[in-house]
Amino acid sequence: MSSRRTLSTFLEEVASSSPAPGGGSVAALAGALGAALTSMVCNLTLGKKKYADVEGDLKKVLEQSEQLRAQFTELIDRDTEAFNKVMEAYALPKDTEPQKALRAAAVREATKEATLVPLEVMKHCIDALALAQSVVSKGNTNSVSDAGVSALMLHAALDGAALNVRINLSALGDQEFVGWKEDEVQSLRSTSAMMLEEIQSVVEDKLRKV
Amino acid sequence: MSSRRTLSTFLEEVASSSPAPGGGSVAALAGALGAALTSMVCNLTLGKKKYADVEGDLKKVLEQSEQLRAQFTELIDRDTEAFNKVMEAYALPKDTEPQKALRAAAVREATKEATLVPLEVMKHCIDALALAQSVVSKGNTNSVSDAGVSALMLHAALDGAALNVRINLSALGDQEFVGWKEDEVQSLRSTSAMMLEEIQSVVEDKLRKV
């Protein structure tokens, strides 16, 4: 499992000539880093007298951000696995017509799965951005830069996962699935860009007052 | 050293109530991930007949991106150390006037260093974005999404490091240093945004043709 490897080993594996872990796994890791920073800001706020009135809200945020962190961490490996399955499908024999048909079906199914994994990353990013929005507004002002980095990581994770959804969609012949998913990708990207902009304007306000 | 910890342990440490590693170290890690993806695209291009004419260029890119990956990896820990030194300075005694003066000077020096570390991350991001630009244009088209994620990570790393420079600058009284560094931060941010936009437009073009 990637998450049991050291940072150095993971970076080494990304940099290597093996195509997985690649951009999809990195996007999931960026999501995990974003969620972890939101958790940290909660942890640096909870229990402080000055922030007693948001204690209840941030406890809920922390619970959800920790759950998202676990989900993103799992998705680092799920993306690598999904990619490897696409490669395995392409490696199937294609000497006879029945073999060709079987191979085409296997490639299609594996590619669909490889599309759905980064799409899940994108959806989790929207949920995590909503939590980042809460901690930017309500969390410890001394940690406002961390809350800002959280949002930046989540937005980059979403945009990165979007590229992975789209490169896989372009390999699929299934037009209905492709059309529907492309709309979803664009709508999630717009939502994320809007959320990031709102978060950044709160961060700017607070940075001026730190 | 952070880079010898597992991904899970590192994420756990970020999420914890200890303020370091925090946003600054995460930004440096995002830089390392961006550089690693640029290296990967080089490795997936070099030696392929179809890309023989860019072999020389991409060999140079790979050498530089691997160097940047090592530098970013070091900066993950350097940011944590710099932050801890600021905390140590704040913990110095402040009972007498000489103690107060010593403490103020120590806080100032440590805060300057904590400003310079993320500024170094920002500068490396610009260099790494230039390499990402090369691999997006010249690298293996099948890896164009990875090259795109590389650029997204580097831009988020730069913007995240910028927040860390700025929160530290706002704690410094040294107006000349502050004014000069703030200009530098804004200029690096604009350059990065422009580079990302150019890279994304090449990625869009290539995604349509994959």
Side-chain angles (χ1 to χ4, degrees):
Chain A
M1 248 176 51
S2 292
S3 57
R4 298 223 186 110
R5 294 186 194 153
T6 67
L7 282 189
S8 291
T9 309
F10 182 78
L11 287 164
E12 202 71 51
E13 285 176 0
V14 171
S16 78
S17 63
S18 152
S25 290
V26 167
L29 172 54
L33 290 165
L37 283 171
T38 283
S39 295
M40 179 180 98
V41 182
C42 291
N43 280 321
L44 288 168
T45 310
L46 292 170
K48 294 227 168 25
K49 264 193 196 152
K50 193 177 162 189
Y51 298 96
D53 53 329
V54 297
E55 184 92 7
D57 291 351
L58 289 195
K59 265 190 188 159
K60 278 184 211 145
V61 169
L62 176 59
E63 201 176 300
Q64 291 170 47
S65 61
E66 284 298 272
Q67 203 177 330
L68 283 164
R69 177 163 73 90
Q71 287 166 327
F72 280 124
T73 305
E74 261 186 51
L75 285 159
I76 301 171
D77 288 321
R78 277 186 52 206
D79 192 273
T80 301
E81 284 156 21
F83 181 89
N84 288 338
K85 278 195 182 142
V86 174
M87 292 297 103
E88 281 166 28
Y90 275 112
L92 289 173
K94 48 175 178 175
D95 302 323
T96 66
E97 286 309 315
Q99 278 180 350
K100 276 184 197 164
L102 272 174
R103 179 175 175 275
V107 167
R108 207 162 43 240
E109 275 319 297
T111 308
K112 266 195 185 176
E113 173 65 13
T115 308
L116 294 174
V117 172
L119 198 60
E120 204 174 321
V121 171
M122 292 182 77
K123 287 176 188 164
H124 287 324
C125 285
I126 296 290
D127 292 341
L129 276 164
L131 304 178
Q133 215 153 15
S134 288
V135 301
V136 165
S137 318
K138 300 175 188 169
N140 194 326
T141 309
N142 295 332
S143 309
V144 69
S145 58
D146 301 301
V149 178
S150 168
L152 287 167
M153 285 300 124
L154 293 167
H155 178 68
L158 184 141
D159 260 3
L163 290 177
N164 283 276
V165 174
R166 291 169 62 207
I167 203 166
N168 285 312
L169 281 183
S170 68
L172 276 173
D174 184 338
Q175 281 317 313
E176 204 184 327
F177 181 83
V178 170
W180 189 68
K181 294 297 174 202
E182 262 168 9
D183 287 352
E184 200 176 357
V185 167
Q186 292 313 335
S187 136
L188 291 170
R189 287 188 67 201
S190 312
T191 306
S192 173
M194 240 164 40
M195 292 173 95
L196 178 65
E197 208 176 299
E198 281 173 29
I199 291 172
Q200 282 184 313
S201 103
V202 181
V203 172
E204 287 302 319
D205 270 358
K206 293 207 168 180
L207 265 182
R208 263 181 244 120
K209 292 176 208 153
V210 166
Chain B
M1 245 176 54
S2 292
S3 55
R4 299 222 184 109
R5 295 187 193 152
T6 67
L7 281 189
S8 291
T9 308
F10 183 77
L11 287 165
E12 202 72 51
E13 285 177 357
V14 171
S16 78
S17 63
S18 153
S25 291
V26 167
L29 172 54
L33 290 164
L37 283 170
T38 284
S39 294
M40 180 180 98
V41 182
C42 290
N43 280 320
L44 288 167
T45 310
L46 292 170
K48 294 229 168 22
K49 263 191 199 154
K50 193 177 162 190
Y51 298 96
D53 53 330
V54 296
E55 185 91 6
D57 292 350
L58 289 194
K59 265 188 188 161
K60 277 182 213 149
V61 169
L62 176 59
E63 202 176 299
Q64 290 171 45
S65 61
E66 284 298 272
Q67 202 177 330
L68 283 164
R69 176 162 75 88
Q71 287 166 328
F72 280 124
T73 305
E74 261 186 51
L75 284 159
I76 301 172
D77 288 321
R78 276 185 54 206
D79 192 273
T80 302
E81 285 156 21
F83 181 89
N84 289 337
K85 278 194 184 145
V86 175
M87 291 297 103
E88 281 165 29
Y90 274 113
L92 288 174
K94 49 177 175 173
D95 302 322
T96 67
E97 286 309 315
Q99 278 180 350
K100 276 183 197 166
L102 272 175
R103 178 175 175 274
V107 167
R108 208 163 43 239
E109 276 319 297
T111 308
K112 266 194 186 179
E113 173 64 15
T115 308
L116 295 174
V117 172
L119 199 59
E120 203 174 322
V121 171
M122 292 182 77
K123 287 177 188 163
H124 287 325
C125 285
I126 297 290
D127 292 340
L129 276 164
L131 304 179
Q133 215 154 14
S134 287
V135 301
V136 164
S137 318
K138 301 175 187 169
N140 193 327
T141 309
N142 295 332
S143 309
V144 70
S145 58
D146 301 300
V149 178
S150 168
L152 287 167
M153 285 299 124
L154 293 167
H155 178 68
L158 184 143
D159 260 3
L163 290 176
N164 283 275
V165 174
R166 290 169 63 207
I167 202 166
N168 286 311
L169 281 183
S170 68
L172 276 173
D174 185 338
Q175 280 318 312
E176 204 184 327
F177 181 83
V178 170
W180 189 68
K181 293 297 173 201
E182 263 168 9
D183 286 351
E184 200 176 357
V185 167
Q186 291 313 333
S187 137
L188 291 170
R189 288 189 67 201
S190 313
T191 306
S192 173
M194 241 164 39
M195 292 173 94
L196 178 65
E197 208 175 299
E198 281 174 29
I199 292 172
Q200 283 185 313
S201 102
V202 181
V203 172
E204 286 303 318
D205 269 359
K206 292 207 169 180
L207 264 182
R208 261 178 245 123
K209 291 177 208 154
V210 166

